Amino acid sequence: MIGLAHPNRIGLRTSLMAAVAVGADEVAAAVIGEAARRGVAIDLVRNGSRGVFELEPFVEVETAAGRIGYARVAPGQIAALADAGLFEGQAAHPACIGRPEDLAFLKRQTRLTFARCGLIDPASINDYRAHGGWRGLDAALRLGPAAVVEAIKASGLRGRGGAGFPAGIKWSTVAAASGARKFVVCNADEGDSGTFADRMLMEGDPFLLIEGMIIAGIAVGAEKGYVFIRSEYPFAVRAMERAIAGAYAAGVLGSSTAGSRFRFDLEVRVGAGAYVCGEETALLESIEGKRGQVRAKPPLPAHVGLFGAPTLINNVLTLAAVPFILAEGAQAYADFGMGRSRGTMPIQLAGDIQNGGLFETAFGVTLGELVDDIGGGTLSGRPVRAVQVGGPLGAYFPRNLFDTPFDYEAFAARGGLIGHGGVVVFNDAVDLLQQARFALEFCAVESCGKCTPCRLGSTRGVEVMDRIAQGVRREANLALLEDLCETMKLGSLCALGGFTPYPVMSELTHFPEDFGLARQPQPAE
Ligand SMILES: Cc1cc2nc3c(=O)[nH]c(=O)nc-3n(C[C@H](O)[C@H](O)[C@H](O)COP(=O)(O)O)c2cc1C
Ligand code: SF4
């Protein structure tokens, strides 16, 4: 908890952006109005969300004994809440849930990356420092570039944007590349269905991302960075721009980063709303002001990236994990996880699930634990039928695969991917043929059009799927679909076309009855 800025004033916090859609702005206005009516002096801070979305709009009052939380607060309730002691942090109201830290959903998490999210004022650089901010940067400046790269390698950190590529290898490739200038680009396009971790972090703890990017710049020899944020995230754009301005004012960004010999400049670029612009080379094209179309690789962006210069591209969560690694040591991060999946993963629970939100935990938790136990099953009360993990290109898992641990290799072994950590739960009303059609249609709509298997294959796939749904020459069309999927998998230039077959084939394999086929007995049934 943060001590009161003014001991004679009451500190109140309401969640910021993640809660706006459910009325956080109106609640904040009502709290301010009620305090004024009663002549109570308050400091109202709009912090980020703690990621327990079922509690939003969530109000926290700072008391000498810690924060006291009030859940699902409506503007019309504020007067009654004030009567019941809201401004004193008292509990005489059903909305009061006590100390947020005692909530099982939060207690069970291991928050390394999201440690401050929902706690601090995202607009205050002092609040960030008071909660351990910039310790990673201090360590990086002490260690120097080569040792920073070694620390990232030793931590086992892998890219959280989708592919799980080892961050240390990418960083050392950019560090070794020669070029008069280099860039660090943060991929904050976050297009995957059911994902919101990048947004939550940028809105709730933007200085953490700035710190991670400065450390990356020092490590690879880049003096300029860009954060590419999707246009659908206006609050994140605002939070990042405000934090960047604050970091310049404090001398953390600019010609002499934190008083050191290193320079690092940073700016935000806003995308124009295409899923494919999350693909790293299309993203670079977009920053360069061109149409977002995928570039053929090689050359890798690490060698020839933004404006032809060596470029380090990482996801928000990858870069945001870096300050912890530098501040606490690579081993402290590597101590969490399983196999080659080290550290923690901010998992996002969405769809028909009771406890939707952000759950950061060490790799190794099983899909079943996440959905049934932590997530509490479906919100609708209907049985869970399928779970899609890893965004629109991820596989659908049936219940008999719920023992799969959250681990890159374990998911790959079962035809799936972790991707950006999105878990979308479907109940027994789902029609998986229609979901397979949706995957192909999504690919057709979002295809950048550069290669034939994706551009044409996805559209033909939708047509084939429609014929299967209508029962037209079902066997022949299913064979055609499998053939088409194989072609897209092997012949596409990027993962949009190359991975669309994964949801489609997983649905066909695990839910054949939805395609008019006989169901084979499953091993665990
Ligand atoms: C179609 C498509 C969309 C993608 N969207 C994103 C995205 O929104 N965010 C992201 O970080 N990576 C996305 N990626 C992965 C990036 O190309 C790239 O691998 C990633 O930014 C690298 O960062 P990382 O190593 O930290 O994961 C996408 C890839 C594809 C093929
Ligand atoms: S797979 Fe699709 S999105 Fe990727 S390069 Fe080919 S056409 Fe573009």
Side-chain angles (χ1 to χ4, degrees), residues 25 32 50 85 96 102 127 158 197 249 341 378 412 418 463 465 472 513 517:
D25 283 347
I32 290 168
R50 290 198 190 237
C96 182
D102 294 337
D127 218 2
R158 292 166 73 170
S341 305
T378 61
I418 284 179
E463 294 162 2
M465 199 61 84
V472 178
E513 62 277 21
L517 297 173

Side-chain angles (χ1 to χ4, degrees), residues 229-249:
I229 308 178
R230 61 184 302 173
S231 60
E232 296 90 335
Y233 283 0
F235 293 111
V237 169
R238 227 175 293 156
M240 283 308 304
E241 283 179 340
R242 190 177 51 193
I244 287 171
Y248 269 111

Side-chain angles (χ1 to χ4, degrees), residues 71-97:
R72 294 174 284 275
V73 175
Q77 277 183 312
I78 301 299
L81 271 165
D83 287 343
L86 172 75
F87 294 126
E88 293 79 41
Q90 286 180 4
H93 193 281
C96 182
I97 58 112

Side-chain angles (χ1 to χ4, degrees), residues 276 293-294 443 446-452 454-455 492-498:
V276 78
Q293 217 173 21
V294 173
C443 182
E446 298 292 341
S447 170
C448 82
K450 183 128 173 179
C451 68
T452 313
C454 169
R455 186 182 69 244
S492 296
L493 188 56
C494 85
L496 179 49

Side-chain angles (χ1 to χ4, degrees), residues 227-307:
V227 189
F228 184 89
I229 308 178
R230 61 184 302 173
S231 60
E232 296 90 335
Y233 283 0
F235 293 111
V237 169
R238 227 175 293 156
M240 283 308 304
E241 283 179 340
R242 190 177 51 193
I244 287 171
Y248 269 111
V252 184
L253 283 171
S255 56
S256 169
T257 289
S260 73
R261 65 186 169 89
F262 297 99
R263 172 183 196 106
F264 197 72
D265 290 300
L266 186 56
E267 66 181 90
V268 168
R269 287 295 168 96
V270 180
Y275 180 71
V276 78
C277 282
E279 193 283 333
E280 56 188 11
T281 60
L283 184 153
L284 296 180
E285 292 282 295
S286 181
I287 294 181
E288 290 180 9
K290 300 175 194 150
R291 181 177 154 199
Q293 217 173 21
V294 173
R295 296 177 185 171
K297 288 187 259 188
L300 294 171
H303 294 125
V304 182
L306 190 62
F307 303 116

Side-chain angles (χ1 to χ4, degrees), residues 8 23 154 182:
N8 56 343
K182 297 180 187 178

Side-chain angles (χ1 to χ4, degrees), residues 366-368 371 384-391 393-419 422-427 430 432 502-511 519 522 525:
T366 67
L367 192 52
V371 173
V384 174
R385 178 143 188 255
V387 178
Q388 189 181 26
V389 183
L393 311 176
Y396 284 74
F397 281 72
R399 187 167 272 288
N400 64 308
L401 296 184
F402 275 17
D403 60 346
T404 313
F406 234 78
D407 162 69
Y408 291 103
E409 280 64 43
F411 264 70
R414 288 181 162 178
L417 54 96
I418 284 179
V423 172
V424 181
V425 178
F426 294 85
N427 65 40
V430 67
L432 288 149
Y502 283 80
V504 176
M505 292 313 294
S506 65
E507 285 155 326
L508 195 52
T509 306
H510 301 305
F511 306 95
R519 183 174 176 79
Q522 302 294 307
E525 284 180 355

